[in-house]
Every structure is written in structure tokens, then in C-alpha cells.
Amino acid sequence: MTVAATPLEAVLARHDAAAPDLEAMNADDLKRAARFWYGTTASNKMRKAECARALNEVFRDRRRLQEGLRSLPDKQRQILSLFRRYGGALSGPLLRCEALARGLVEKTEDRRSFYGRHHPEDPILDLCAKLLLVSQHGGGYGRYDSYYFYSSYRRTYPDLVLPPGVSDLVEPAPPLSWHPSQVTEPPTTSSARPAAAVALDLWSIAQALAQTGAWKTNRGGTPIKSVQNRLARAVAGGDNSDELAPPALESLYYESLRGLGAITVEDDVGSIDLEVVRHRLQDAAIEQGWHWVRAWLSMRLWQDGIGVVPDRDRPREPERIEPRELHAARELLTWALGRVAQTADEWLDLETFLSDLWAVTGEETIHFYWSRYSWQPDYAAARSKAKITEDKPRRLAYWLDSTGTWAANALLGTLAHLGLIEHGVAASRAQPRPCFRLTGLGQAVFGAPERAVSEPTYEPKFLTVQPNHEVLAYLNVADPRAVWPLAQMARRVSAPGERVQTFALSRESVYQALESGLTPETIRDFLSRHSKTGLPQLVAHSLAEWGRKREALILRTGMALGAGPPGGASPFAGMARARPVADPFVLLPPTATRGLKECLVRDHNAFARPAWQVDQEGRVRVADAADSVCLARLAQFADPEGKHWVITAASVGRARERGIPTEQILGWLDDHLSDELPPILKTAIGNWSSPAGVFLGDLVMLQVDQPQAYEMVRDSPRFRPLLLGALPPDWFVVRPEKRLELERLLTELGFAVGAPWKPSAIPGRSKAGDGSSRDNPERKHRKRRRA
Amino acid sequence: LHEHATVLEAAEPAQLLELAANPRVRRYLLARLSDTVALVDPGHADALAKALLAEGHTPKMVKGVTP
């Protein structure tokens, strides 16, 4: 049944390190610590610097540390053990809950607010005073670290760390168990998501990101909306009616990949390292699940029941739960599930669990306001909450309806989707009640290190390959380590939520797999090894054929091409790594060209260089230093003419027949012209590819050279029906059929019809007289780019 | 000597001719180096790869000289 137990540390373990910063402490704090380690008499004689030196010695002297620890009261030793249990560091909220749950501190009920209230009996603060606990910055009993920030009615602590040398001398605290306040009936229906489905989705998102290449991100590192939409297609579920499904699944996986260290974001550009994902997905399921929870704990920009959130708040329009508060809440929910994992494998009623969570975390430790969750459970205790008069039930009702709903979404949404929780519905009462329990994976992850749950035995043959190239994967029996390569070689065609998923092998999907580094043999072996019915002959044949077709066409980049002089001795002859193509060409590895100083070298990564001059008639003069590639480009759209080349309608037309569009020709000209391309030629090249229409014909024109009279004619309702348009500064186009009518009107108004026309200036003409503009900013930009 | 050059290699001369007859592919091929090898226009390797895929070809992408 079992394979091997996977030893893991507590999923909440932290390994922050900090030594007491004795230099920064004030004399009172140092003296207070020295009194514990050296006695009152000796320490009273010490000055501040002596205190610091003496205390510094304490943490180098193992024997003295042991003596000090032995002299501690039992509660204080237990508190140090808590730190050892969690790797040496604890967040303030978690420390508070652990200490409350173990009876090491008492919950204060006084709700009056006292800023800086002193709690002399607090064993945690006493350990801080003895420097056996320090803040992450090395602070001890300082006013900025701890008790001065008491919020009166509830105990709060800063994040604290065991100083060096202490951890080894303390035994870890035993785990706590969970005692539900009410017994839960088994559910009538239940469902759990296999870990293999999570691994498959993770890989699908990672692969979609890798195919995107580098992507733009918003502030904080979330991908821009278009990338999110593309990712959403990779994990789009078919069943939109599942109200428990976490919102924006693609972003949950994206942030998980970030938490796993596979995604890097720099300067608002993201990239993924698929090797990191592959490495992680080859871990045992329990280890993978442990890392998924760790990633979830630190997720800032995806929130349970909400989805993607921005990186910062809007003061008047909150769009997210404050990330620090959410982190603390996730930590405490994980802590509670850790306790559940230590008890028998029982179902827990959701509402009862949340009420118990509220109580054991001191009622106010998990607390924030949000109301727009994707799933809003109907809590019996929260119905008619406004009418509840008793203080505690009323506070619980409001908590359930706000923060408790976050916890419900985290449990039955996020953690259930990650395969750590099985959820069900108990329908024996009048109102069906959601309930849950940890899956085997959840027990192992949350119960670590004490709850040693072995990896389940998976079915090595978890798929069937059908002759129509479809692959059915049975995820509930599949090993998460084995299943994800399937998404690398085949396209998922069924909804990701289903337990039996259908994939399609195609030429494109297999090609992508081969390009990502798999070989045809690897693909064939994978399918044969995991298929219950073997590999159909037709599919094997297709795989071989697709592999052959890929091998038949190679696009080779990043190498050097040597071209020897025609008929002369090639400088590349005899080079060991040279691969002849055809005389005089050879292919060379990039490193092989280092010694070839005498060659003319052209770098195709920086190919643009001036080598051509062109006039308004399209004649191209080529510089003597022009290389063969530069000439090959020219030959695509120009014809030789004596010593020069000429661009004509025929040569551009031929280029067009070869598929070369105007933009490509203009791009080549931009790369190689030493001067600007004359606009007349640019227009002609465009027209030779795609002619632009112009009008050339007879018009009846009216010239009114007096500005006031021109304006009158332009604006008059009597003239308007007679005219086609106005051409400033003094011309009108006349409707030909209205010419006589216009003449009559002009005569009536006293105009002398029949005066000779006067030429009028056309504004904005360039000196060159060809329509070019020396101040064209686009040209200047191109010049700069080329420089 | 052309550094960072890109070439398209076909298994058969007929395959290269077929590709060169397709304007969507031809526009990126600058010169024929042999019956089966064509030089790709500098800066257009990615565009050629996309064009080949769009035309239903599955070219093997190789960096360097070794197969």
C-alpha cells in the first residue's frame, strides 16, 4: 500500500536568523538582560559597554546558555520549544495562538484600550528581556519591538526569533490536536481533487507562459490582462456552476509558480524557467503539496475568494485584503489544519470549524473586512445577525459573515482545488451543511513533521491511447510525477476539472514537445509505459512520421556562414568543424571564427549599414564595400543597369510576386541607404505594389481673390447649392450644371464675371519641390536609429 | 564571413523549391546556397519560423552547426 514516507518539516517553519543587536539597545534593557545572566550584584556594577560585552559572551558560551535555559520557568521553556518546532522563528499572530492554545498566556477580556500597557507576567516578553527571543532586527525588550505596541485588550507580539546557539539546546514542542465543539455527521456526497490534476494544471500554465516568451506585467508582477486571458484558456473549466471553484484559476497557478521560484519578474517583464517547474514536478506528491501550500502562504496578488488583486490599495475604494493581514490569516488557518491533521480522520462541519477557529485564535486575530467573495456560505449562526443581542454570538455572527467567509473560500475553494481538502455536504439536517476533511495529501502536508503519511501507491498505467490519437488520462490513480509530461506532448481537449481527461496527440502538439527537448523515443516510451492498452500501431506510425517530417526541414540559427572567394583558395578549407554546404559556402560554429582575422566579417544581428545611394528616378549606386547579402537584398527588388541598379515598376512587381511586400523593401532601403529615400520614389514603390487612386480631369472653377468676398461666397446659403467645394485661399469648385445659374447670381451681386484668373501660391512647398521635407521627424528618428 | 547567420535546410531539393514557390516563405529567403540550403534574410528568422508553422511545416529549430 505504501511506498516511502517523506520527511518534511512543519509547513509553517521559518528559518529567519537574528542575533541580539546589543549595540543598539539602551542601558536599561542591557542591564535587565545582564541581571538574568550574571545576577543582580554583578550586573549592577557593569556599565553599558561592559553589559554588552558580557552578554555577547553569553551567546558564545554553550554551557552558560544551558544553565540559563535550565533556570527558566517551565512556561518559558515551553515557549522556546514552540520556536524550535517551527524552525526557530514565529510570527506574532502564530505565537499568540500557540501560547493561548497551550495555556502559556491567558486571553485578556478587558476591551478598554491602553496604549503601551505593561504585562509584567507575560512569559514571552520576559524571554525578550532575557534576550532569549529577539525581533527579526535583533531587538530585545525594546519599546519599538513589543509591549509598547500592545493593543490593550488582546495580546500582540512582533515576529520573534531564537538567537543563535539557543535552538540546539531546546526540544521541539509536541503538536496540538483539534477538538471540534460539535460532532459532524458524515456527508452524503463528497469530492476531492487528485494531486495529479494540480500538477497537470501547473504544467499547463507553465508551458503556456513559456510559449508566450517574455511577457509584460503590471506593477507587482501579475501578467497583463491579455496574457491572463491566454493562460485562462489553458485551465478553463467546463463547469462554471461550481460555486466553490476559486476565481481566476490561471492566476492562482501563476502565483503558485512564482512561489515555487519558477517565474522571475524584472522591470515589469516576466519570464519562466521551465527547468525549475520540471524539477519541482518530479518531487513526490507530498513534497509537491508542501510547496504548493508554502507558495499559497506567501501569495500576495491572488486572494482566496477574490482572485487577482492590485499591488497597492486605493484609499477610498479597497480592492483587496491587506496582504500582511491575509498572510497572518493564512498562517493561522494552516496552523488550525495542522492541528486537525493530528487527530483522527474525521469530517468537520464547516460552520463549527470556523466558529472553533474564531475561538482558538483569540476571536480577533484573523480579522479584516471584505464582503465580495466568490462563494458566500449560508451560516446558521449568522442569519438575522443584526437581531442578535448577546455580545459574543453577535461578534461571531458578523465574523462568520465577513472574515469567516474568507476562511470558507480558502478551505473549500483554494485548498480543495489544490487537492489538500475533500469537501462534502451533510444533508441529514433541514438545511444541507458543507463539511470537509483533509485528504491523505492534506494530512501529510499539514501534519508534518509528526504525521508521517506515506506516498500512496499510484497506478503506473493511468492512461489509454486510442487509435484516433486521443489519450484518456485517469487522474485519480495517476502519480503527479508521471502525469504532467502528457500535457507536454498532447493538447488537452476536455475540461480540466474532470477526473478522466482527454488529450489529443497531433502533429503540432508532438512538434511542440520535440522542440521543448523531448525525443520521439521519449514520447513513444512514455505512452507505452503508462498506457493500459499499449500503443496502437497507427499512433506509433504517426509519431515516427511526425518526427521524420521535423527532421526533414531545419531552421539553423546562431552559426557562422563562410563564403570563400569564387575559384580561389578558401580560408575555411581544412577547418575541423566546418560543414560544407556547396562551393564556396561552409557552415561554422560561432566559436570557430575567432582566428579568422583576414576575413571580411558581417554580423547578421547588426546588419543595417549604408551601402546604397538612390536618386529620384530610382537609380541605385552601390558602394564598393557592399557585401553579398546586401546585394542579394537589392537583387530582390531592383534590376542591374550597367554599373548600377534601378528600381522600376517591373522589378517591384516581381518582388511582390515573390511575396515581398512594400514594407520589406522600404525596410531594406532604410537599412542600407546612406541618404534619405526620396518621397517620390517611396510613393512610387508603394504604388507599384498597390496603386493609389488620383483624379485627373476637367473642372469648372471659380476664383474670388478678395478675402471678404471669398468668405461671403463660402458661407452664403445662396451659393452653397451651386458649389462642390472650396479650395483655399481663393478657389471654389463649381457644379458644372449650375454654371449659368452661378454666372447670373454673380452678375446680380455686381461681380465682373470674365476677369482673367490669377495664380495663387500653394503653401507649405519644400525647397526641393518634390514634396520632401527636411524637417521630417520620422526621418530624423530613423537616422538616429541607424546611427 | 557572416556571423549569426540563419539558413534553412531541406532534406530534398524539391522541398526547397516548393518552399521557395510559396510567397509567404519566399520573402524571407535571400539566396540559395545549394540545392537544399537557403540563406535567410538577416533579422527574419523568427518571422520565417512563424510563416513555416502557419503553412503547416514543422521545422526543427537548431542553434549552431551540429544537428
Side-chain angles (χ1 to χ4, degrees):
Chain A
M1 179 63 199
T2 59
V3 179
T6 311
L8 291 172
E9 62 177 342
V11 74
L12 291 174
R14 290 167 57 165
H15 297 284
D16 312 359
D21 185 1
L22 300 169
E23 294 296 317
M25 287 182 194
N26 65 36
D28 287 348
D29 290 347
L30 288 172
K31 192 144 277 187
R32 191 178 290 116
R35 278 190 204 115
F36 170 71
W37 293 102
Y38 290 97
T40 308
T41 313
S43 58
N44 281 349
K45 292 175 188 168
M46 293 180 192
R47 295 184 175 191
K48 184 184 173 187
E50 290 170 327
C51 266
R53 268 198 301 277
L55 289 168
N56 201 26
E57 286 303 313
V58 167
F59 294 97
R60 294 177 180 172
D61 186 345
R62 186 178 170 86
R63 190 186 53 79
R64 191 183 283 271
L65 275 176
Q66 280 174 320
E67 280 175 14
L69 293 173
R70 268 198 296 272
S71 72
L72 290 175
D74 186 46
K75 277 189 177 178
Q76 294 191 9
R77 271 202 303 274
Q78 285 188 54
I79 285 165
L80 295 182
S81 299
L82 285 178
F83 280 82
R84 178 68 200 280
R85 173 172 168 72
Y86 290 103
L90 273 174
S91 72
L94 180 57
L95 173 59
R96 175 173 182 260
C97 291
E98 275 279 3
L100 281 173
R102 292 172 194 264
L104 302 175
V105 296
E106 288 174 6
K107 180 177 178 296
T108 52
E109 295 292 346
D110 185 356
R111 294 179 64 79
R112 287 171 299 166
S113 179
F114 290 99
Y115 186 71
R117 186 181 177 191
H118 187 42
H119 287 260
E121 79 289 358
D122 192 307
I124 294 168
L125 299 183
D126 204 28
L127 285 166
C128 290
K130 292 166 183 166
L131 301 184
L132 283 167
L133 289 176
V134 292
S135 76
Q136 289 172 309
H137 308 294
Y141 194 61
R143 65 191 62 191
Y144 300 111
D145 281 326
S146 181
Y147 79 104
Y148 269 89
F149 278 99
Y150 254 50
S151 64
S152 71
Y153 67 90
R154 67 177 183 190
R155 293 173 191 273
T156 60
Y157 303 106
D159 295 356
L160 292 171
V161 181
L162 284 179
V166 177
S167 188
D168 296 343
L169 304 175
V170 182
E171 284 298 312
L176 289 169
S177 54
W178 187 261
H179 304 288
S181 55
Q182 284 181 37
V183 178
T184 303
E185 297 164 26
T188 45
T189 59
S190 70
S191 87
R193 196 157 185 264
V198 182
L200 202 54
D201 283 348
L202 262 179
W203 176 258
S204 299
I205 291 293
Q207 190 170 246
L209 283 169
Q211 285 166 2
T212 303
W215 62 90
K216 283 188 178 177
T217 68
N218 299 315
R219 186 190 291 264
T222 52
I224 57 170
K225 195 70 189 165
S226 60
V227 179
Q228 284 180 30
N229 292 340
R230 203 175 312 146
L231 297 181
R233 287 195 286 275
V235 287
D239 183 12
N240 294 328
S241 63
D242 183 7
E243 58 181 2
L244 296 180
L249 272 176
E250 70 287 351
S251 296
L252 167 63
Y253 286 113
Y254 179 90
E255 294 298 329
S256 297
L257 289 166
R258 278 183 89 180
L260 295 175
I263 289 177
T264 311
V265 178
E266 276 178 16
D267 299 328
D268 295 336
V269 174
S271 60
I272 188 162
D273 185 347
L274 277 185
E275 274 313 306
V276 174
V277 187
R278 282 195 190 100
H279 176 75
R280 190 54 71 206
L281 290 174
Q282 281 162 6
D283 286 340
I286 292 173
E287 215 167 322
Q288 288 192 43
W290 190 90
H291 284 288
W292 299 340
V293 173
R294 296 280 286 199
W296 169 70
L297 283 166
S298 59
M299 231 174 251
R300 292 176 64 251
L301 301 179
W302 185 92
Q303 300 191 337
D304 314 279
I306 301 174
V308 187
V309 295
D311 189 36
R312 55 180 167 178
D313 293 309
R314 287 187 197 169
R316 293 186 181 183
E317 194 182 348
E319 291 181 282
R320 61 174 192 171
I321 300 168
E322 208 285 312
R324 275 176 60 91
E325 289 181 355
L326 184 65
H327 181 266
R330 283 173 172 161
E331 211 177 44
L332 295 184
L333 183 60
T334 302
W335 170 72
L337 292 174
R339 294 178 62 179
V340 170
Q342 305 301 333
T343 45
D345 179 20
E346 289 174 353
W347 284 89
L348 296 167
D349 175 66
L350 176 67
E351 187 171 333
T352 307
F353 174 80
L354 294 178
S355 304
D356 293 345
L357 178 69
W358 181 71
V360 298
T361 54
E363 300 178 8
E364 316 225 7
T365 314
I366 307 178
H367 186 76
F368 37 73
Y369 178 75
W370 187 265
S371 60
R372 304 190 298 272
Y373 293 105
S374 58
W375 177 49
Q376 187 70 44
D378 176 24
Y379 302 108
R383 285 178 209 138
S384 309
K385 59 182 184 288
K387 294 178 184 167
I388 302 172
T389 51
E390 268 188 84
D391 177 51
K392 196 168 177 177
R394 184 181 168 90
R395 282 192 289 122
L396 172 62
Y398 275 93
W399 183 87
L400 281 173
D401 236 11
S402 56
T403 315
T405 302
W406 162 79
N409 277 275
L411 280 166
L412 302 199
T414 312
L415 298 177
H417 189 83
L418 294 177
L420 299 153
I421 277 180
E422 179 179 4
H423 60 83
V425 176
S428 58
R429 299 190 195 181
Q431 191 77 19
R433 289 173 70 96
C435 56
F436 72 94
R437 67 176 174 180
L438 294 173
T439 58
L441 178 67
Q443 286 174 20
V445 170
F446 292 113
E450 291 84 4
R451 185 75 192 251
V453 177
S454 301
E455 279 284 309
T457 306
Y458 297 107
E459 180 61 60
K461 295 194 180 294
F462 61 85
L463 50 87
T464 56
V465 185
Q466 303 185 146
N468 66 354
H469 297 86
E470 279 193 352
V471 182
L472 302 180
Y474 301 87
L475 297 184
N476 51 341
V477 294
D479 186 342
R481 282 172 293 193
V483 74
W484 59 271
L486 182 58
Q488 205 174 352
M489 62 188 72
R491 187 172 58 86
R492 182 156 44 182
V493 290
S494 62
E498 294 167 15
R499 279 170 175 246
V500 182
Q501 299 207 353
T502 310
F503 290 77
L505 284 164
S506 65
R507 186 178 168 190
E508 290 73 27
S509 70
V510 170
Y511 170 71
Q512 292 295 343
L514 296 174
E515 282 299 310
S516 70
L518 295 185
T519 63
E521 294 73 33
T522 321
I523 296 174
R524 200 171 46 245
D525 290 351
F526 175 87
L527 294 171
S528 304
R529 194 168 62 248
H530 296 298
S531 175
K532 295 176 180 187
T533 53
L535 188 62
Q537 196 61 40
L538 185 63
V539 176
H541 176 77
S542 297
L543 290 174
E545 179 63 18
W546 294 335
R548 264 197 303 276
K549 286 212 166 170
R550 174 172 170 268
E551 293 291 333
L553 189 64
I554 297 174
L555 187 60
R556 197 179 291 282
T557 58
M559 45 89 204
L561 170 69
S570 170
F572 316 109
M575 289 183 71
R577 286 180 289 172
R579 188 158 76 82
V581 176
D583 191 42
F585 302 110
V586 290
L587 301 182
L588 301 156
T591 50
T593 62
R594 284 179 194 149
L596 299 169
K597 302 280 185 199
E598 70 277 14
C599 291
L600 174 67
V601 178
R602 289 283 181 255
D603 185 353
H604 284 213
N605 281 353
F607 198 70
R609 76 181 57 78
W612 306 335
Q613 283 182 311
V614 65
D615 61 20
Q616 298 205 12
E617 278 74 40
R619 275 188 295 276
V620 183
R621 280 188 292 173
V622 179
D624 292 339
D627 59 76
S628 54
V629 172
C630 176
L631 289 172
R633 278 182 161 180
L634 187 57
Q636 302 290 323
F637 64 96
D639 292 326
E641 189 186 68
K643 285 184 176 179
H644 305 303
W645 294 73
V646 63
I647 306 170
T648 63
S651 65
V652 172
R654 270 201 311 279
R656 196 179 173 210
E657 284 168 14
R658 292 174 190 149
I660 300 168
T662 309
E663 296 72 32
Q664 194 167 345
I665 296 173
L666 295 177
W668 285 337
L669 287 164
D670 196 35
D671 278 353
H672 299 297
L673 279 183
S674 51
D675 205 348
E676 298 302 330
L677 176 65
I680 190 171
L681 187 58
K682 183 177 179 180
T683 306
I685 291 171
N687 288 342
W688 289 334
S689 276
S690 173
V694 290
F695 168 80
L696 180 63
D698 295 329
L699 286 175
V700 179
M701 302 290 287
L702 167 68
Q703 185 179 35
V704 183
D705 61 356
Q706 294 169 344
Q708 283 180 339
Y710 179 83
E711 285 177 19
M712 179 279 293
V713 173
R714 186 189 64 198
D715 301 334
S716 164
R718 290 184 69 187
F719 277 93
R720 201 169 295 147
L722 313 178
L723 303 173
L724 277 171
L727 299 175
D730 50 11
W731 285 97
F732 293 98
V733 183
V734 179
R735 292 182 184 278
E737 72 278 11
K738 303 283 185 182
R739 179 179 177 154
L740 288 176
E741 201 177 327
L742 179 63
E743 270 187 38
R744 278 198 296 275
L745 180 57
L746 289 167
T747 307
E748 177 194 329
L749 296 175
F751 286 100
V753 180
W757 68 276
K758 297 173 185 173
S760 46
I762 300 173
R765 186 65 81 177
S766 69
K767 286 180 185 173
D770 59 357
S772 67
S773 168
R774 300 291 174 199
D775 296 326
N776 186 337
E778 189 191 341
R779 281 190 188 170
K780 282 189 174 174
H781 172 70
R782 281 215 309 271
K783 280 274 186 194
R784 276 200 299 275
R785 186 158 59 90
R786 192 149 65 186
Chain B
L1 183 69
H2 295 266
E3 290 183 324
H4 303 111
T6 301
V7 294
L8 183 66
E9 296 177 29
E12 299 292 330
Q15 190 181 12
L16 191 60
L17 284 175
E18 182 196 338
L19 289 167
N22 182 342
R24 288 183 187 144
V25 176
R26 170 68 180 84
R27 60 178 288 196
Y28 302 115
L29 303 179
L30 208 53
R32 203 173 64 171
L33 304 179
S34 76
D35 286 348
T36 55
V37 181
L39 178 65
V40 178
D41 187 37
H44 286 102
D46 289 342
L48 175 59
K50 279 185 187 166
L52 288 169
L53 291 171
E55 292 297 302
H57 300 284
T58 50
K60 183 177 180 180
M61 312 290 184
V62 176
K63 272 197 172 179
V65 176
T66 47

